[in-house]
Amino acid sequence: MESLDAEGWERFFNGCSASACHLEMRDHYAVAEEEADIEKWRAGEWGPEQDAASKAGWLDLMRATSARGVRLRRVRIVSEPVTEYIRFEHEGTPQNIEAGEDVRWLPRKRASGLALPGNDCWIFDGTTVLFNHFTGDGGWVGNEVSTDHEVAQLCVKAFESAWDLGIPHHEYTLI
């Protein structure tokens, strides 16, 4: 297992040519670099400008990837009522969309019939899967890469099934 730095993420996105799809299935993430941002958000000191500044590197990578014609999609499977973290994430999603991502939300109760991988993942060009591993309380553990055809196809099918049931960001109302 490895933990990607900014250059590692760039290699994955620069290496894909058609699509990058992100399947998110957790209701809470406790990623260390977001802790200060969430505290400011809780205090009402956080808005679109601060959000865009905090993830500027990511947004730049998404813009560059999208400009090359790569389709960027993200679907988030969430429990309702949503957690505080999902509210934080939802408020920051317009910046992701502006940078080229298409984002949908899937209430978990609508996902019961889906076969899903055991971990969040990015799927690049339908052939490479980058799994994201977290602790039980949402802390970052690392990444695992798979190019196994069967694993990739399982993840592609899971993503597409969730995507088809998902609600576009501009239509999704937090409960």
Side-chain angles (χ1 to χ4, degrees):
M1 190 163 342
E2 62 182 294
S3 288
L4 295 179
D5 58 10
E7 289 178 6
W9 285 102
E10 287 176 15
R11 278 193 305 276
F12 275 96
F13 282 94
N14 291 339
C16 71
S17 60
S19 65
C21 303
H22 191 192
L23 179 60
E24 294 181 40
M25 300 178 286
R26 297 183 59 90
D27 289 318
H28 177 78
Y29 296 87
V31 180
E33 64 254 20
E34 288 182 330
E35 289 177 13
D37 297 347
I38 292 171
E39 286 303 316
K40 290 177 187 172
W41 175 77
R42 281 185 189 126
E45 302 166 357
W46 191 260
E49 290 178 10
Q50 292 84 359
D51 188 72
S54 76
K55 57 187 181 186
W58 179 260
L59 297 176
D60 288 345
L61 180 59
M62 294 302 98
R63 283 185 196 94
T65 304
S66 178
R68 290 189 298 104
V70 175
R71 185 175 184 202
L72 301 169
R73 294 184 294 160
R74 179 188 300 257
V75 64
R76 294 172 170 147
I77 300 175
V78 296
S79 299
E80 293 177 325
V82 300
T83 62
E84 177 187 57
Y85 184 87
I86 295 300
R87 290 185 184 284
F88 169 77
E89 213 175 34
H90 189 270
E91 284 186 29
T93 297
Q95 284 69 252
N96 295 71
I97 293 169
E98 181 276 325
E101 290 186 43
D102 191 358
V103 180
R104 292 189 181 181
W105 301 83
L106 178 58
R108 194 171 306 282
K109 65 185 175 194
R110 294 176 58 180
S112 297
L114 301 182
L116 299 168
N119 295 289
D120 288 12
C121 61
W122 276 97
I123 308 154
F124 297 97
D125 292 335
T127 61
T128 301
V129 181
L130 177 68
F131 289 105
N132 298 314
H133 294 287
F134 299 91
T135 63
D137 61 2
W140 179 252
V141 175
N143 303 102
E144 175 186 0
V145 178
S146 176
T147 56
D148 180 282
H149 179 74
E150 289 182 27
V151 171
Q153 288 309 297
L154 171 106
C155 293
V156 167
K157 289 176 186 174
F159 179 87
E160 294 300 339
S161 296
W163 183 259
D164 289 346
L165 293 173
I167 301 165
H169 177 75
H170 68 278
E171 295 176 16
Y172 181 66
T173 303
L174 294 177
I175 295 176

